Amino acid sequence: MDWSSFLFLAWLWVWGCSAFKDPHIVVHDDSFVPDAVLRITEEDYSIGCITRHSVVANGSVPGPAIRLQSGSVVWIRVYNDMLDKNLTMVGIPNLCARTCASFLQLDHWHGLTMAAAPWADGTPRASQFEIGPLFFFDYEINLIEIGPGTYFWHSHVDFQAMTVFGPLIIEQKPGIPPPYEYDDEKIVLFSDLYNKTDEEIKKGLTQKPFKWTGETGALLINGRGFGNYTHTNSDESCSVPVFDMEAEKTYRFRWIGATALSFASVAIEEHNFTLIEADGDWLKEIEVPFIQIGSGQRYSTLIEGLSCDQLRAMGKSSFYLQAETRDRPTTFTSYAILDYGNSCGLNNTKHYENFAPPLEPPLHLPPTVQGWLDYDLQNLTPAPDFPTAEEVTRTIYVDIFQLTTDKGTKDEHVTWMQNGVSWYEESVRIPYLVALYLNGSDFLPDYDVAIANGGVDPVKKAWPAKLGEVIEIIFQNTGSTQGGADIHPMHIHGKHGGYIGSGKGEYNRTENEEKLKKAGHTPVLRDSMMLYRYSSKEKTGVKHSWMGLRQRVTQAGVYMMHCHILNHMLMGMQQVLVFGDSKDILTLPLPLVEGYLTYGGPVYGTKGHPPAVLHFFDSEDDEPVGVEVVTPQGEFENPGNY
Ligand SMILES: *[C@@H]1O[C@H](CO)[C@@H](O)[C@H](O)[C@H]1NC(C)=O
Ligand SMILES: *[C@@H]1O[C@H](CO)[C@@H](O)[C@H](O)[C@H]1NC(C)=O
Ligand SMILES: *[C@@H]1O[C@H](CO)[C@@H](O)[C@H](O)[C@H]1NC(C)=O
Ligand SMILES: *[C@@H]1O[C@H](CO)[C@@H](O)[C@H](O)[C@H]1NC(C)=O
Ligand SMILES: *[C@@H]1O[C@H](CO)[C@@H](O)[C@H](O)[C@H]1NC(C)=O
Ligand SMILES: *[C@@H]1O[C@H](CO)[C@@H](O)[C@H](O)[C@H]1NC(C)=O
Ligand SMILES: *[C@@H]1O[C@H](CO)[C@@H](O)[C@H](O)[C@H]1NC(C)=O
Ligand SMILES: *[C@@H]1O[C@H](CO)[C@@H](O)[C@H](O)[C@H]1NC(C)=O
Ligand SMILES: [Cu+2]
């Protein structure tokens, strides 16, 4: 038996026999060693050829990759080293993927529900207080039932996620080969750049008169690239990222949409893509010449390295990756290079230092393909409990509407509403989960009021659902006050949604069921899905386009659902979902959770004060066998060439 099968059997044995300990509080003193650490600071940071005052993680954009292993329980410590700013961190998709249901059963052996996991979800004022200046917080993340996949971590406060983000890769359990073979992997993160501070951006979007952020000044690839601003720097940040390739090798490219605003279309000269993963779940392979990726979305594709003969015949050894923004008034195009160097003894004469982008785009990327692969993608292992239309017990139509008031005056205000309700971090003073623990059902959204009001309790500004419901959520894009329509990459925290597709106009279940039937397979699970637009103009109030998902409500707790465009989030495009009633959610005795109930409370560590933290997922075996945490350091020293 080889070592990896041994590890796997050992792991199975431990997993099979071990039980979770009852939740208990542990003081994380000097003897506690987190599995990964992130330090968040504010700096004048060189990015896209300019210097911007930015919030950054571990001194870089993107921050370091965190690699964790499926099957483990890990602790990630996040230090807020800033003097006057709050912070929270989320790992998309909040690490409770398709398996929350079985997760729940595991916990049920202890008579518990999922309720404690949301303490670590990182949504400010929904599940937790922010991490205050000079405090740190330890996030407990349970990957026991989370499969391998591509995620990212980012701050969830204000506009910080434009610069505070990094890859979060869940690795395969030991001994289990991935369903697709590849020799090596590359990570490609897309992000945006504004030469405005986070404060200016937020102020413009929320104050009267409204001031739009403007278009992105760059579409950065792994934090690098040429911005649209006057270049003042000529350092590493100001160069085209290069991905080193070797002939005849197969690569897994992990694509991460870490953009603030941009929706991108991406292709590579002379290379096709084989899609194998979407939002953390394996896909049945599907060949595509390009991909489209919105904020929050992730894909993996296999890319076959060209052969030496092919390279020789083409007479070149480097190829452009071209990425273009879509559905904005202006298009931003950016580039990276796949470089085979001398891998076939070809003489590569190109020099990539200070390499400039091409004068003319080498590729013609198609305009937005609405509904791209919506009915084609399928998971390698179809979700066994994907709800059918007949099982749906409630359909929630979420009318997405941009309201402008006092247009053209000094009081002009623009806000995104969901069934008439906008949600901002400032909408509540105390996070829902905290408020529920403090005053029980006083803070629970009223179910009957919500039912009578399109699903939302407008006073509590929350969307309740009862455990056992099978909900269908239809986002209905509606023509704005000013006669426009926009795109929205919608992101759901907690369990992945069963994605039922998208389309023009109004959702028609009969018609869509017909389409799903024709596709002939179980649709995919996703946590980030595009609500497309079919034109930029639409009459006020007219139903323009829709997108939908289904979910069995099994996981009690407080979850966010929001557009992943940061600008839209700050304009109110967020929803708080409250699943279960107070007895489902509040399963932990008060003494265990008290530390979470105040801003800067005992669960938040600071100099000289180690945090006293709830351990929810500890197993009876303190040192589980075969559970290994991989957090390579310095891997990102050369951003742009992961
Ligand atoms: C930080 O969060 C706390 C608690 O929610 C809040 O009272 C405070 O105003 C926030 N500070 C800043 C600078 O946003
Ligand atoms: C970026 O913004 C700063 C502050 O407003 C300004 O001083 C600087 O000139 C801007 N840089 C570019 C390249 O536009
Ligand atoms: C990519 O796929 C298209 C068909 O989808 C094919 O025409 C083309 O030759 C392929 N390109 C490469 C480089 O394999
Ligand atoms: C980039 O700047 C140029 C010149 O200022 C402008 O014409 C173009 O629209 C800008 N592009 C984007 C995407 O904003
Ligand atoms: C590469 O360059 C060397 C020296 O410049 C030359 O001898 C060799 O033939 C070249 N190889 C190819 C494949 O062009
Ligand atoms: C909870 O209720 C008590 C007494 O009714 C009240 O004093 C307190 O302010 C409430 N807490 C919150 C968070 O609203
Ligand atoms: C929905 O689609 C079906 C089939 O195309 C059609 O018969 C029906 O009238 C549509 N319903 C509505 C409300 O448009
Ligand atoms: C981030 O930086 C800290 C030191 O400042 C280091 O200990 C930690 O390992 C880094 N995190 C990662 C994930 O590389
Ligand atoms: Cu949006």
Side-chain angles (χ1 to χ4, degrees), residues 429-430 435 438-439 442-443:
R429 202 169 44 83
I430 296 175
L438 285 176
N439 278 23
D442 286 6
F443 282 85

Side-chain angles (χ1 to χ4, degrees), residues 221 224-226 235-243 319-321 334-338 352-358 639-640:
I221 298 176
R224 288 215 213 163
F226 289 84
D235 56 9
E236 277 251 302
S237 83
C238 203
S239 63
V240 174
V242 177
F243 295 93
F319 301 87
Y320 280 114
L321 179 161
S334 73
Y335 302 95
I337 289 163
L338 268 59
Y352 293 113
E353 290 123 75
N354 305 318
F355 194 92

Side-chain angles (χ1 to χ4, degrees), residues 476-477 503-507 534 543-546:
Q476 189 71 67
N477 213 358
K504 206 172 170 171
E506 207 168 341
Y507 173 59
Y534 293 78
K543 305 245 183 292
H544 177 83
S545 58
W546 65 272

Side-chain angles (χ1 to χ4, degrees), residues 84-86 125 129-130 429 599:
D84 60 359
K85 287 193 170 62
N86 286 325
R125 314 242 185 130
F129 276 112
E130 297 90 329
R429 202 169 44 83
Y599 174 61

Side-chain angles (χ1 to χ4, degrees), residues 141-333:
I141 296 175
N142 181 345
L143 304 172
I144 296 286
E145 291 257 302
I146 305 292
T150 306
Y151 303 93
F152 66 116
W153 51 265
H154 65 79
S155 171
H156 215 283
V157 168
D158 295 342
F159 211 74
Q160 290 172 6
M162 186 176 85
T163 47
V164 182
F165 61 87
L168 178 60
I169 308 298
I170 311 296
E171 308 271 23
Q172 196 85 28
K173 282 173 190 168
I176 306 180
Y180 298 105
E181 278 181 36
Y182 51 91
D183 300 304
D184 204 352
E185 66 168 64
K186 308 281 180 193
I187 301 175
V188 190
L189 287 105
F190 294 105
S191 66
D192 289 326
L193 179 64
Y194 286 109
N195 184 31
K196 283 182 180 174
T197 61
D198 293 352
E199 290 75 19
E200 284 172 310
I201 290 170
K202 181 167 179 174
K203 200 170 158 206
L205 294 174
T206 51
Q207 287 206 340
K208 297 176 182 177
F210 172 79
K211 192 163 186 296
W212 173 240
T213 331
E215 301 309 312
T216 187
L219 178 60
L220 301 172
I221 298 176
N222 294 347
R224 288 215 213 163
F226 289 84
N228 202 24
Y229 301 110
T230 312
H231 298 182
T232 51
N233 302 0
S234 57
D235 56 9
E236 277 251 302
S237 83
C238 203
S239 63
V240 174
V242 177
F243 295 93
D244 292 325
M245 303 283 288
E246 276 183 55
E248 278 150 39
K249 277 199 172 171
T250 302
Y251 292 88
R252 175 182 189 174
F253 273 66
R254 298 178 185 264
W255 308 89
I256 300 176
T259 50
L261 173 73
S262 294
F263 177 44
S265 187
V266 190
I268 302 174
E269 286 185 291
E270 308 292 349
H271 293 72
N272 280 338
F273 299 155
T274 307
L275 268 174
I276 56 165
E277 184 216 342
D279 292 356
D281 278 311
W282 293 114
L283 295 176
K284 285 207 172 126
E285 61 183 284
I286 174 165
E287 295 289 326
V288 287
F290 72 101
I291 61 164
Q292 288 182 169
I293 185 163
S295 182
Q297 296 189 307
R298 290 95 53 215
Y299 292 103
S300 280
T301 63
L302 295 180
I303 293 184
E304 296 290 337
L306 298 172
S307 68
C308 292
D309 285 348
Q310 283 172 312
L311 291 170
R312 215 164 278 127
M314 288 174 193
K316 64 194 250 184
S317 58
S318 60
F319 301 87
Y320 280 114
L321 179 161
Q322 184 176 327
E324 275 172 19
T325 60
R326 288 287 177 265
D327 295 301
R328 294 299 316 166
T330 53
T331 300
F332 198 96
T333 305

